[in-house]
Amino acid sequence: MEEFHKVRRLPPYVFEQVNRLKASARAGGADIIDLGMGNPDLPTPQSIVDKLCEVVQDPRTHRYSSSKGIPGLRRAQAAYYARRFGVKLNPDTQVVATLGSKEGFANMAQAITAPGDVILCPNPTYPIHAFGFLMAGGVIRSMSVEPDASFFEPLERAVRHSIPKPLALVLNYPSNPTAYVATLDFYKDVIAFAKKHDIIVLSDLAYSEIYFDGAPPPSVLEVPGAMDVTVEFTSMSKTFSMPGWRMGFAVGNERLIAALTRVKSYLDYGAFTPIQVAATHALNGDGSDIAEVRNVYKRRRDVMVESFGKAGFDVPPPAATMFAWAKIPEKFRHLGSLEFSKLLVEKADVAVAPGIGFGEMGDDYVRLALVENEHRIRQAARNIKKFMSTADETMHNVISLNAHR
């Protein structure tokens, strides 16, 4: 039977190959240290869990909720933006609750994209930034991800040569997977470019609170006039260790938020009301929960950089996010990121995310998630050191898939 049209538009899900290998190894008794999937292992703070348990006892909260989010939750998100970024939002018209930032991004793509619309998307980047628009019939034009002067020349070229003119530009800082952090001056240049060329800006700010060095990452909405063209997506998954709760937000331009809200109203009834109430409680807290999460990831980052470096696998210290973006050691780079990632599972009992899964420009890299404790991270480094020191004897029959092309 012929594959369905929208499924055909999606590239192979390369992470699944590593996941299958990981599951097979575990079934055989291997103790796999999983640094692949960005699935936070920290428990949700107890006060948030307690609020959920309290509210769920009220049977009135068991009914359908609102896909837009309950009013108290939207007010709490607006208050958070005012405290954290100095950005004023109308909770009734400029805030909508989403089932995580991923769902919000995908439904925004459905809301604004016509078949053939051109979207400017960083490469490498988190897959939904491109796949959401591909499923909506859009066309992706890959852009640089580093937030410096080199970012803008490809943008200008894209505007000159794309037919039709690009509809939207995707931003993701702090970046998943590269961990780049943007400055407010960079955002000012982006907004000036977007307004000059009438381009929508969609900013994924899921890692705004997971930062380690220097000033907290800014929001693009801090730029004067950004509200005219911008929607920003945030998530409680990493900030409050609530990944399975599926709670996020889209905020910004009223017309774009209205379009997203209308699409969502046809597709879902929103998160379970007790979850929304617990999320409200979290956002209205004193920030101590956020600080503790940040400190845990910083300690893990420092252990990873040190221990992997001693093992001969150089890991640049990320300034933000819960990921490190590391170049494959020279000896193995010819294999590509997928084959190297599979080798680490087979030979070192360590799972990582192959960079090719985030775009073809990521194929020399792997992403390492800080989702194991410090002891396990050190063990992963020892395993990798042992593998790399014996690779010449154990890899004589390993051939890159590219060699057959």
Side-chain angles (χ1 to χ4, degrees), residues 49-116:
V49 176
D50 290 343
K51 178 58 70 172
L52 172 72
C53 294
E54 172 195 331
V55 178
V56 80
Q57 301 300 321
D58 184 349
R60 292 175 298 177
T61 66
H62 301 175
R63 306 179 71 183
Y64 290 128
S65 191
S66 165
S67 64
K68 186 176 182 178
I70 61 175
L73 177 60
R74 287 184 278 114
R75 287 195 297 268
Q77 176 68 352
Y80 163 76
Y81 256 78
R83 291 193 310 271
R84 174 69 166 78
F85 304 112
V87 172
K88 185 178 181 180
L89 296 168
N90 183 331
D92 294 324
T93 60
Q94 295 178 313
V95 179
V96 59
T98 63
L99 304 179
S101 58
K102 186 175 183 179
E103 176 268 321
F105 228 97
N107 277 329
M108 178 60 81
Q110 294 291 333
I112 68 174
T113 310

Side-chain angles (χ1 to χ4, degrees), residues 248-308:
F249 301 92
V251 306
N253 177 266
E254 290 188 6
R255 176 170 173 261
L256 293 170
I257 291 296
L260 173 59
T261 302
R262 185 169 185 187
V263 166
K264 279 178 58 62
S265 72
Y266 283 92
L267 298 176
D268 71 67
Y269 285 108
F272 187 35
T273 297
I275 290 178
Q276 296 195 45
V277 175
T280 304
H281 171 79
L283 288 168
N284 288 335
D286 61 6
S288 58
D289 292 333
I290 300 174
E292 178 55 29
V293 168
R294 187 185 303 130
N295 290 335
V296 169
Y297 286 130
K298 184 179 189 302
R299 291 193 296 269
R300 292 179 178 181
R301 178 201 69 163
D302 294 344
V303 166
M304 177 177 284
V305 170
E306 178 188 15
S307 61
F308 274 58

